Amino acid sequence: MSSFWVSCVFRRSRFLKPSLSLLLSGNNKPSNPILNPKLNPHIAKLTNHDRWVPNSEQNFRYVWVASICTTPSQSSVEKETSSSNEKSSWIDLYLPRQARAYAKLARLDKPIGTWLLAWPCMWSITMAAPRGHFPDFKMMALFGCGALLLRGAGCTVNDLLDRDIDNMVERTRLRPVASGLLTPFQGLSFLGFQLLLGLGILLQLNNFSRILGASSLLLVFSYPLMKRFTFWPQAYLGLTFNWGALLGWAAVKGSLDLAVVFPMYISGVFWTLVYDTIYAHQDKEDDLKVGVKSTALRFGDSSKEWTTGFGIACISSLALSGYNADIGWPYYAFLAAASGHLGWQIWTVDLSSRADCNRKFVSNKWFGAIVFSGILFGRLMQ
């Protein structure tokens, strides 16, 4: 329709006088975004038209007419331009439209949460392997799928309980439930579906592991409420996210060796305090406005000192766990590398930059991988 009006008015433009505000001082292609041929296809057609005479008065008549015809669509042009700069995830590219909102609700486009949930499980399963043997790959596959499902279920619970808060936070306002893309009932139904699949995985473990795994749901469902009552929700997240350090050992051994798995579990809690405090600095301004709490607000300018202490406690607990498990020397070499990685992210992070906080947070998947490699080689070389 816009092209039709441009062509119609183009023929009658000889009766119109150009506005002085649009005179371009000899530039025959306007710099205004709406009149830029690269951004507006109608202007591109005019500038390529055989009646376009460079540096002539007729130019201004054409530009003036085109601006009248295209001004109502300025917002749409700008919207298209800005949207073209946004990164589309694989969800938008490959999944059916009906499934996209659910995939985003489960954060399938942001796998870092699944990695952070899965690594303590993999540590524990590998630590429980017999000396000189690889870990149980079937068990690792089950726990990998379980981490994906439980992380999605946790995000769904979080978004359902926090939908009013998410609306007021810049980073979270477009989440499916907060934005209205999904109704709370749809989110609740999806939660039930994820838990049902998770139950299918849990039933493949021994009885002791089933009870231990089911007990973690209390932590999963209550975590999103913690930010309303305490400045330490990151510690509570640590208790939740690292439950796999207990469960992985139990799934292999049928019991718990607390001398090994408890220090590993505590190390995961301290690790979570490091990476999630860094993560929380992204939202500290919005959290203050909304009235929710976090360790980022609790520590403020002392965050690096606090996270350094947590990092030391994390590495020390991992060393104690390996010592009690009588693991081989490669474990400690990899643990030294892991401590270097943790120190790098703590002391180089710019806590005033959301982008850098997110980069350092995401880098923790490599910390988990380094520790896992240490346990694997430590077991194989005993």
Side-chain angles (χ1 to χ4, degrees):
M1 181 62 71
S2 299
S3 301
F4 170 77
W5 283 110
V6 168
S7 61
C8 288
V9 180
F10 187 94
R11 299 189 189 98
R12 293 165 177 77
S13 61
R14 64 181 181 275
F15 300 110
L16 303 174
K17 292 184 179 180
S19 170
L20 292 177
S21 63
L22 291 174
L23 295 181
L24 305 176
S25 303
N27 293 327
N28 60 350
K29 293 190 178 182
S31 59
N32 188 313
I34 195 63
L35 302 178
N36 192 326
K38 295 181 179 179
L39 301 181
N40 192 327
H42 306 311
I43 293 297
K45 289 180 182 179
L46 285 176
T47 56
N48 293 327
H49 199 279
D50 56 1
R51 295 189 185 182
W52 180 273
V53 182
N55 300 320
S56 72
E57 183 180 351
Q58 192 177 16
N59 281 4
F60 307 116
R61 183 162 64 246
Y62 296 157
V63 170
W64 185 81
V65 172
S67 68
I68 293 176
C69 299
T70 57
T71 297
S73 61
Q74 179 173 1
S75 59
S76 63
V77 173
E78 292 175 345
K79 185 176 181 180
E80 290 175 5
T81 305
S82 61
S83 63
S84 65
N85 295 327
E86 296 177 1
K87 293 182 179 179
S88 296
S89 70
W90 65 269
I91 289 177
D92 301 307
L93 296 175
Y94 301 113
L95 288 188
R97 185 176 299 276
Q98 296 84 352
R100 292 174 190 171
Y102 294 101
K104 290 180 179 179
L105 182 60
R107 310 286 198 278
L108 295 184
D109 56 334
K110 298 177 180 178
I112 180 59
T114 302
W115 281 115
L116 296 176
L117 190 61
W119 279 129
C121 305
M122 305 307 170
W123 298 349
S124 187
I125 292 171
T126 308
M127 190 76 84
R131 295 183 178 185
H133 289 78
F134 285 99
D136 187 332
F137 291 110
K138 178 184 176 182
M139 197 65 68
M140 293 177 68
L142 284 175
F143 272 77
C145 294
L148 181 67
L149 290 170
L150 189 61
R151 191 275 178 117
C155 291
T156 303
V157 172
N158 184 82
D159 285 11
L160 288 170
L161 294 177
D162 285 355
R163 59 185 182 275
D164 295 332
I165 294 177
D166 287 344
N167 278 325
M168 297 182 280
V169 178
E170 179 65 25
R171 186 178 56 83
T172 61
R173 62 185 178 85
L174 294 181
R175 286 178 175 173
V177 177
S179 64
L181 198 59
L182 291 177
T183 65
F185 178 76
Q186 289 174 315
L188 195 61
S189 300
F190 184 56
L191 173 63
F193 174 70
Q194 293 173 97
L195 293 177
L196 184 63
L197 293 178
L199 177 62
I201 293 177
L202 193 63
L203 290 176
Q204 299 182 56
L205 308 181
N206 56 58
N207 289 332
F208 181 75
S209 301
R210 293 172 187 173
I211 297 172
L212 189 63
S215 62
S216 69
L217 292 179
L218 178 62
L219 294 170
V220 173
F221 285 115
S222 57
Y223 160 69
L225 301 174
M226 291 300 108
K227 65 175 74 72
R228 295 166 170 82
F229 305 113
T230 176
F231 279 101
W232 293 85
Q234 281 68 30
Y236 201 85
L237 179 66
L239 296 174
T240 306
F241 252 50
N242 295 281
W243 198 258
L246 306 176
L247 189 58
W249 183 282
V252 175
K253 299 286 191 178
S255 62
L256 289 177
D257 185 346
L258 292 180
V260 176
V261 296
F262 186 71
M264 182 180 290
Y265 179 57
I266 293 301
S267 73
V269 174
F270 283 120
W271 178 37
T272 305
L273 278 165
V274 172
Y275 66 67
D276 210 50
T277 296
I278 292 174
Y279 184 81
H281 271 275
Q282 296 179 92
D283 300 329
K284 54 191 174 183
E285 290 85 3
D286 290 323
D287 287 347
L288 281 172
K289 296 175 184 177
V290 175
V292 297
K293 301 175 176 66
S294 71
T295 49
L297 295 178
R298 170 66 178 81
F299 303 149
D301 294 336
S302 301
S303 290
K304 290 197 175 187
E305 288 76 8
W306 278 91
T307 50
T308 299
F310 296 144
I312 293 172
C314 170
I315 298 298
S316 300
S317 298
L318 283 171
L320 178 61
S321 177
Y323 176 80
N324 291 339
D326 194 24
I327 200 168
W329 66 266
Y331 173 70
Y332 300 100
F334 278 93
L335 203 58
S339 64
H341 181 280
L342 209 58
W344 162 76
Q345 61 173 291
I346 291 172
W347 288 103
T348 62
V349 64
D350 181 359
L351 295 176
S352 63
S353 168
R354 292 188 178 187
D356 194 48
C357 286
N358 188 65
R359 278 193 295 270
K360 296 302 191 297
F361 167 73
V362 171
S363 74
N364 279 278
K365 62 186 178 185
W366 300 115
F367 175 86
I370 294 169
V371 174
F372 170 77
S373 300
I375 298 174
L376 178 62
F377 285 103
R379 273 298 182 222
L380 291 176
M381 298 185 67
Q382 277 183 306

